[in-house]
Amino acid sequence: MHIGHNLHKPHKPGMRTIKTALAAAICALIYYFLDRSPAFACIGAIFGMGTDVEDGYRNGGGNRLYGTIVGGLLGMLLFRIYLGFVPDGHHTLLLVLLTFVGVVLLVMLCQVFWIGGVQPGGVVLCILLFNTPVESYVSYALNRIFDTAVGVLVALVLSYLFPRDCKAVWSERIRWLKAHFSKQEEKQEM
């Protein structure tokens, strides 16, 4: 495959593209009203959108969410240990050892809970160890976990509401609702 092999074909956005953009935009709108940055929620929404709910959760959203949870909690623990030795949080060689231990633990935990979480968990772990101020490492980790969960949840809800074969699925849902409410009305009339 070479670069630009599809340049001559006309492109139009498909349903998954629209759902992904809508999920990110909904996150941005929610966070606008919360007066906080939507960046990590939008990233979670983009990662969480798959071909359907199961795919979004299994291949993208779950990886992102579980990795962020494991990396965030592990990073908080390791940084707290680090602050016990270096209270002002300046960088020392001890961070090299904690990074090694942290990555080994991260991989082992992800093998138990969610194997795809290693990469996103590693990102959060390294940011906590090397790039987060002493006074905000806990709030950073917790906010990152929360924001990722919001984004993944928005993507999964949209995938549920607008599945791959949207028209057929909604027709079936409407038929079920009509049948369900018909039965309720018949019971009330008796």
Side-chain angles (χ1 to χ4, degrees), residues 63-89:
N63 294 347
R64 185 81 185 174
L65 181 57
Y66 287 108
T68 300
I69 291 169
V70 172
L73 295 176
L74 184 58
M76 282 192 297
L77 173 67
L78 291 173
F79 199 72
R80 181 69 209 128
I81 290 169
Y82 183 69
L83 292 177
F85 294 99
V86 185
D88 67 357

PDB file of all heavy atoms in Angstrom, residues 63-89:
ATOM      1  N   ASN A  63      -9.646  -0.483  26.753  1.00  0.00           N
ATOM      2  CA  ASN A  63      -8.195  -0.306  26.861  1.00  0.00           C
ATOM      3  C   ASN A  63      -7.861   1.022  27.520  1.00  0.00           C
ATOM      4  O   ASN A  63      -7.044   1.103  28.440  1.00  0.00           O
ATOM      5  CB  ASN A  63      -7.535  -0.331  25.479  1.00  0.00           C
ATOM      6  CG  ASN A  63      -7.629  -1.675  24.802  1.00  0.00           C
ATOM      7  OD1 ASN A  63      -7.978  -2.678  25.420  1.00  0.00           O
ATOM      8  ND2 ASN A  63      -7.330  -1.705  23.522  1.00  0.00           N
ATOM      9  N   ARG A  64      -8.487   2.055  27.012  1.00  0.00           N
ATOM     10  CA  ARG A  64      -8.219   3.404  27.501  1.00  0.00           C
ATOM     11  C   ARG A  64      -8.650   3.556  28.958  1.00  0.00           C
ATOM     12  O   ARG A  64      -7.919   4.089  29.785  1.00  0.00           O
ATOM     13  CB  ARG A  64      -8.963   4.408  26.614  1.00  0.00           C
ATOM     14  CG  ARG A  64      -8.685   5.821  26.926  1.00  0.00           C
ATOM     15  CD  ARG A  64      -7.387   6.226  26.300  1.00  0.00           C
ATOM     16  NE  ARG A  64      -7.071   7.570  26.700  1.00  0.00           N
ATOM     17  CZ  ARG A  64      -5.959   8.173  26.414  1.00  0.00           C
ATOM     18  NH1 ARG A  64      -5.045   7.554  25.709  1.00  0.00           N
ATOM     19  NH2 ARG A  64      -5.724   9.382  26.812  1.00  0.00           N
ATOM     20  N   LEU A  65      -9.843   3.076  29.268  1.00  0.00           N
ATOM     21  CA  LEU A  65     -10.380   3.248  30.616  1.00  0.00           C
ATOM     22  C   LEU A  65      -9.599   2.435  31.645  1.00  0.00           C
ATOM     23  O   LEU A  65      -9.132   2.977  32.647  1.00  0.00           O
ATOM     24  CB  LEU A  65     -11.860   2.866  30.649  1.00  0.00           C
ATOM     25  CG  LEU A  65     -12.565   3.027  31.991  1.00  0.00           C
ATOM     26  CD1 LEU A  65     -12.456   4.460  32.502  1.00  0.00           C
ATOM     27  CD2 LEU A  65     -14.022   2.621  31.861  1.00  0.00           C
ATOM     28  N   TYR A  66      -9.450   1.141  31.407  1.00  0.00           N
ATOM     29  CA  TYR A  66      -8.747   0.306  32.380  1.00  0.00           C
ATOM     30  C   TYR A  66      -7.272   0.687  32.476  1.00  0.00           C
ATOM     31  O   TYR A  66      -6.702   0.683  33.571  1.00  0.00           O
ATOM     32  CB  TYR A  66      -8.912  -1.182  32.055  1.00  0.00           C
ATOM     33  CG  TYR A  66     -10.297  -1.665  32.380  1.00  0.00           C
ATOM     34  CD1 TYR A  66     -11.194  -1.970  31.370  1.00  0.00           C
ATOM     35  CD2 TYR A  66     -10.723  -1.789  33.693  1.00  0.00           C
ATOM     36  CE1 TYR A  66     -12.476  -2.401  31.658  1.00  0.00           C
ATOM     37  CE2 TYR A  66     -12.000  -2.211  33.989  1.00  0.00           C
ATOM     38  CZ  TYR A  66     -12.872  -2.519  32.972  1.00  0.00           C
ATOM     39  OH  TYR A  66     -14.144  -2.932  33.258  1.00  0.00           O
ATOM     40  N   GLY A  67      -6.662   1.007  31.371  1.00  0.00           N
ATOM     41  CA  GLY A  67      -5.275   1.449  31.413  1.00  0.00           C
ATOM     42  C   GLY A  67      -5.112   2.715  32.225  1.00  0.00           C
ATOM     43  O   GLY A  67      -4.185   2.849  33.030  1.00  0.00           O
ATOM     44  N   THR A  68      -6.027   3.650  32.045  1.00  0.00           N
ATOM     45  CA  THR A  68      -5.965   4.905  32.791  1.00  0.00           C
ATOM     46  C   THR A  68      -6.188   4.664  34.283  1.00  0.00           C
ATOM     47  O   THR A  68      -5.507   5.254  35.121  1.00  0.00           O
ATOM     48  CB  THR A  68      -7.005   5.908  32.240  1.00  0.00           C
ATOM     49  OG1 THR A  68      -6.703   6.152  30.858  1.00  0.00           O
ATOM     50  CG2 THR A  68      -6.960   7.225  32.978  1.00  0.00           C
ATOM     51  N   ILE A  69      -7.124   3.783  34.605  1.00  0.00           N
ATOM     52  CA  ILE A  69      -7.374   3.478  36.019  1.00  0.00           C
ATOM     53  C   ILE A  69      -6.145   2.828  36.656  1.00  0.00           C
ATOM     54  O   ILE A  69      -5.663   3.270  37.702  1.00  0.00           O
ATOM     55  CB  ILE A  69      -8.614   2.566  36.174  1.00  0.00           C
ATOM     56  CG1 ILE A  69      -9.885   3.338  35.817  1.00  0.00           C
ATOM     57  CG2 ILE A  69      -8.700   1.998  37.592  1.00  0.00           C
ATOM     58  CD1 ILE A  69     -11.123   2.477  35.688  1.00  0.00           C
ATOM     59  N   VAL A  70      -5.627   1.789  36.017  1.00  0.00           N
ATOM     60  CA  VAL A  70      -4.475   1.069  36.580  1.00  0.00           C
ATOM     61  C   VAL A  70      -3.246   1.978  36.628  1.00  0.00           C
ATOM     62  O   VAL A  70      -2.570   2.075  37.656  1.00  0.00           O
ATOM     63  CB  VAL A  70      -4.184  -0.230  35.791  1.00  0.00           C
ATOM     64  CG1 VAL A  70      -2.887  -0.869  36.253  1.00  0.00           C
ATOM     65  CG2 VAL A  70      -5.337  -1.207  35.939  1.00  0.00           C
ATOM     66  N   GLY A  71      -2.961   2.661  35.523  1.00  0.00           N
ATOM     67  CA  GLY A  71      -1.799   3.558  35.486  1.00  0.00           C
ATOM     68  C   GLY A  71      -1.934   4.719  36.459  1.00  0.00           C
ATOM     69  O   GLY A  71      -0.960   5.124  37.098  1.00  0.00           O
ATOM     70  N   GLY A  72      -3.153   5.246  36.587  1.00  0.00           N
ATOM     71  CA  GLY A  72      -3.380   6.359  37.501  1.00  0.00           C
ATOM     72  C   GLY A  72      -3.209   5.962  38.957  1.00  0.00           C
ATOM     73  O   GLY A  72      -2.535   6.643  39.730  1.00  0.00           O
ATOM     74  N   LEU A  73      -3.829   4.856  39.348  1.00  0.00           N
ATOM     75  CA  LEU A  73      -3.723   4.406  40.735  1.00  0.00           C
ATOM     76  C   LEU A  73      -2.290   3.982  41.076  1.00  0.00           C
ATOM     77  O   LEU A  73      -1.764   4.334  42.137  1.00  0.00           O
ATOM     78  CB  LEU A  73      -4.704   3.264  40.999  1.00  0.00           C
ATOM     79  CG  LEU A  73      -6.188   3.644  40.903  1.00  0.00           C
ATOM     80  CD1 LEU A  73      -7.063   2.405  41.082  1.00  0.00           C
ATOM     81  CD2 LEU A  73      -6.558   4.726  41.898  1.00  0.00           C
ATOM     82  N   LEU A  74      -1.672   3.256  40.161  1.00  0.00           N
ATOM     83  CA  LEU A  74      -0.290   2.830  40.370  1.00  0.00           C
ATOM     84  C   LEU A  74       0.652   4.035  40.417  1.00  0.00           C
ATOM     85  O   LEU A  74       1.543   4.115  41.267  1.00  0.00           O
ATOM     86  CB  LEU A  74       0.134   1.860  39.261  1.00  0.00           C
ATOM     87  CG  LEU A  74       1.514   1.230  39.363  1.00  0.00           C
ATOM     88  CD1 LEU A  74       1.674   0.458  40.660  1.00  0.00           C
ATOM     89  CD2 LEU A  74       1.740   0.317  38.166  1.00  0.00           C
ATOM     90  N   GLY A  75       0.436   4.984  39.517  1.00  0.00           N
ATOM     91  CA  GLY A  75       1.258   6.195  39.503  1.00  0.00           C
ATOM     92  C   GLY A  75       1.122   6.998  40.785  1.00  0.00           C
ATOM     93  O   GLY A  75       2.115   7.522  41.313  1.00  0.00           O
ATOM     94  N   MET A  76      -0.098   7.105  41.302  1.00  0.00           N
ATOM     95  CA  MET A  76      -0.292   7.814  42.580  1.00  0.00           C
ATOM     96  C   MET A  76       0.471   7.127  43.709  1.00  0.00           C
ATOM     97  O   MET A  76       1.133   7.777  44.515  1.00  0.00           O
ATOM     98  CB  MET A  76      -1.779   7.894  42.942  1.00  0.00           C
ATOM     99  CG  MET A  76      -2.551   8.933  42.194  1.00  0.00           C
ATOM    100  SD  MET A  76      -4.197   9.235  42.887  1.00  0.00           S
ATOM    101  CE  MET A  76      -5.013   7.671  42.670  1.00  0.00           C
ATOM    102  N   LEU A  77       0.371   5.802  43.755  1.00  0.00           N
ATOM    103  CA  LEU A  77       1.062   5.047  44.796  1.00  0.00           C
ATOM    104  C   LEU A  77       2.575   5.225  44.701  1.00  0.00           C
ATOM    105  O   LEU A  77       3.251   5.539  45.697  1.00  0.00           O
ATOM    106  CB  LEU A  77       0.704   3.557  44.702  1.00  0.00           C
ATOM    107  CG  LEU A  77       1.489   2.630  45.632  1.00  0.00           C
ATOM    108  CD1 LEU A  77       1.127   2.893  47.083  1.00  0.00           C
ATOM    109  CD2 LEU A  77       1.227   1.181  45.263  1.00  0.00           C
ATOM    110  N   LEU A  78       3.118   5.051  43.496  1.00  0.00           N
ATOM    111  CA  LEU A  78       4.570   5.165  43.334  1.00  0.00           C
ATOM    112  C   LEU A  78       5.061   6.589  43.589  1.00  0.00           C
ATOM    113  O   LEU A  78       6.129   6.786  44.184  1.00  0.00           O
ATOM    114  CB  LEU A  78       4.986   4.690  41.938  1.00  0.00           C
ATOM    115  CG  LEU A  78       4.818   3.189  41.699  1.00  0.00           C
ATOM    116  CD1 LEU A  78       5.084   2.848  40.247  1.00  0.00           C
ATOM    117  CD2 LEU A  78       5.715   2.382  42.623  1.00  0.00           C
ATOM    118  N   PHE A  79       4.301   7.584  43.163  1.00  0.00           N
ATOM    119  CA  PHE A  79       4.728   8.967  43.398  1.00  0.00           C
ATOM    120  C   PHE A  79       4.658   9.291  44.889  1.00  0.00           C
ATOM    121  O   PHE A  79       5.501  10.013  45.410  1.00  0.00           O
ATOM    122  CB  PHE A  79       3.897   9.944  42.574  1.00  0.00           C
ATOM    123  CG  PHE A  79       4.561  11.281  42.410  1.00  0.00           C
ATOM    124  CD1 PHE A  79       5.670  11.426  41.596  1.00  0.00           C
ATOM    125  CD2 PHE A  79       4.083  12.395  43.076  1.00  0.00           C
ATOM    126  CE1 PHE A  79       6.298  12.658  41.441  1.00  0.00           C
ATOM    127  CE2 PHE A  79       4.702  13.640  42.940  1.00  0.00           C
ATOM    128  CZ  PHE A  79       5.809  13.760  42.109  1.00  0.00           C
ATOM    129  N   ARG A  80       3.681   8.730  45.587  1.00  0.00           N
ATOM    130  CA  ARG A  80       3.590   8.937  47.038  1.00  0.00           C
ATOM    131  C   ARG A  80       4.818   8.331  47.711  1.00  0.00           C
ATOM    132  O   ARG A  80       5.390   8.924  48.630  1.00  0.00           O
ATOM    133  CB  ARG A  80       2.297   8.311  47.575  1.00  0.00           C
ATOM    134  CG  ARG A  80       2.110   8.498  49.034  1.00  0.00           C
ATOM    135  CD  ARG A  80       1.840   9.979  49.345  1.00  0.00           C
ATOM    136  NE  ARG A  80       2.320  10.261  50.674  1.00  0.00           N
ATOM    137  CZ  ARG A  80       3.146  11.243  51.005  1.00  0.00           C
ATOM    138  NH1 ARG A  80       3.586  12.089  50.116  1.00  0.00           N
ATOM    139  NH2 ARG A  80       3.525  11.411  52.236  1.00  0.00           N
ATOM    140  N   ILE A  81       5.210   7.144  47.284  1.00  0.00           N
ATOM    141  CA  ILE A  81       6.428   6.516  47.818  1.00  0.00           C
ATOM    142  C   ILE A  81       7.626   7.412  47.523  1.00  0.00           C
ATOM    143  O   ILE A  81       8.474   7.648  48.401  1.00  0.00           O
ATOM    144  CB  ILE A  81       6.621   5.100  47.220  1.00  0.00           C
ATOM    145  CG1 ILE A  81       5.545   4.156  47.767  1.00  0.00           C
ATOM    146  CG2 ILE A  81       8.023   4.562  47.508  1.00  0.00           C
ATOM    147  CD1 ILE A  81       5.468   2.812  47.053  1.00  0.00           C
ATOM    148  N   TYR A  82       7.712   7.923  46.313  1.00  0.00           N
ATOM    149  CA  TYR A  82       8.811   8.805  45.921  1.00  0.00           C
ATOM    150  C   TYR A  82       8.873  10.034  46.824  1.00  0.00           C
ATOM    151  O   TYR A  82       9.949  10.442  47.270  1.00  0.00           O
ATOM    152  CB  TYR A  82       8.639   9.224  44.459  1.00  0.00           C
ATOM    153  CG  TYR A  82       9.751  10.087  43.934  1.00  0.00           C
ATOM    154  CD1 TYR A  82      11.022   9.566  43.749  1.00  0.00           C
ATOM    155  CD2 TYR A  82       9.537  11.424  43.632  1.00  0.00           C
ATOM    156  CE1 TYR A  82      12.058  10.347  43.276  1.00  0.00           C
ATOM    157  CE2 TYR A  82      10.555  12.220  43.160  1.00  0.00           C
ATOM    158  CZ  TYR A  82      11.822  11.677  42.984  1.00  0.00           C
ATOM    159  OH  TYR A  82      12.846  12.450  42.525  1.00  0.00           O
ATOM    160  N   LEU A  83       7.720  10.623  47.110  1.00  0.00           N
ATOM    161  CA  LEU A  83       7.694  11.820  47.962  1.00  0.00           C
ATOM    162  C   LEU A  83       8.144  11.508  49.387  1.00  0.00           C
ATOM    163  O   LEU A  83       8.610  12.403  50.094  1.00  0.00           O
ATOM    164  CB  LEU A  83       6.303  12.442  47.968  1.00  0.00           C
ATOM    165  CG  LEU A  83       5.847  13.075  46.661  1.00  0.00           C
ATOM    166  CD1 LEU A  83       4.418  13.584  46.771  1.00  0.00           C
ATOM    167  CD2 LEU A  83       6.790  14.187  46.231  1.00  0.00           C
ATOM    168  N   GLY A  84       8.023  10.260  49.803  1.00  0.00           N
ATOM    169  CA  GLY A  84       8.548   9.870  51.114  1.00  0.00           C
ATOM    170  C   GLY A  84      10.061   9.999  51.176  1.00  0.00           C
ATOM    171  O   GLY A  84      10.628  10.280  52.240  1.00  0.00           O
ATOM    172  N   PHE A  85      10.721   9.826  50.047  1.00  0.00           N
ATOM    173  CA  PHE A  85      12.186   9.954  49.984  1.00  0.00           C
ATOM    174  C   PHE A  85      12.624  11.333  49.509  1.00  0.00           C
ATOM    175  O   PHE A  85      13.680  11.823  49.899  1.00  0.00           O
ATOM    176  CB  PHE A  85      12.776   8.889  49.041  1.00  0.00           C
ATOM    177  CG  PHE A  85      12.605   7.493  49.530  1.00  0.00           C
ATOM    178  CD1 PHE A  85      11.582   6.682  49.047  1.00  0.00           C
ATOM    179  CD2 PHE A  85      13.453   6.967  50.500  1.00  0.00           C
ATOM    180  CE1 PHE A  85      11.422   5.388  49.506  1.00  0.00           C
ATOM    181  CE2 PHE A  85      13.307   5.681  50.971  1.00  0.00           C
ATOM    182  CZ  PHE A  85      12.271   4.885  50.471  1.00  0.00           C
ATOM    183  N   VAL A  86      11.843  11.924  48.620  1.00  0.00           N
ATOM    184  CA  VAL A  86      12.194  13.228  48.032  1.00  0.00           C
ATOM    185  C   VAL A  86      10.959  14.145  48.183  1.00  0.00           C
ATOM    186  O   VAL A  86      10.168  14.296  47.244  1.00  0.00           O
ATOM    187  CB  VAL A  86      12.583  13.075  46.544  1.00  0.00           C
ATOM    188  CG1 VAL A  86      13.066  14.401  45.979  1.00  0.00           C
ATOM    189  CG2 VAL A  86      13.633  11.993  46.347  1.00  0.00           C
ATOM    190  N   PRO A  87      10.783  14.739  49.374  1.00  0.00           N
ATOM    191  CA  PRO A  87       9.557  15.494  49.662  1.00  0.00           C
ATOM    192  C   PRO A  87       9.255  16.659  48.707  1.00  0.00           C
ATOM    193  O   PRO A  87       8.091  16.979  48.496  1.00  0.00           O
ATOM    194  CB  PRO A  87       9.776  16.012  51.086  1.00  0.00           C
ATOM    195  CG  PRO A  87      10.787  15.085  51.677  1.00  0.00           C
ATOM    196  CD  PRO A  87      11.656  14.653  50.535  1.00  0.00           C
ATOM    197  N   ASP A  88      10.270  17.268  48.132  1.00  0.00           N
ATOM    198  CA  ASP A  88       9.987  18.391  47.226  1.00  0.00           C
ATOM    199  C   ASP A  88       9.692  17.916  45.798  1.00  0.00           C
ATOM    200  O   ASP A  88       9.309  18.708  44.941  1.00  0.00           O
ATOM    201  CB  ASP A  88      11.122  19.412  47.230  1.00  0.00           C
ATOM    202  CG  ASP A  88      12.420  18.891  46.638  1.00  0.00           C
ATOM    203  OD1 ASP A  88      12.488  17.698  46.261  1.00  0.00           O
ATOM    204  OD2 ASP A  88      13.373  19.675  46.539  1.00  0.00           O
ATOM    205  N   GLY A  89       9.856  16.610  45.539  1.00  0.00           N
ATOM    206  CA  GLY A  89       9.496  16.038  44.256  1.00  0.00           C
ATOM    207  C   GLY A  89      10.462  16.293  43.115  1.00  0.00           C
ATOM    208  O   GLY A  89      10.165  15.937  41.980  1.00  0.00           O
TER     209      GLY A  89
END
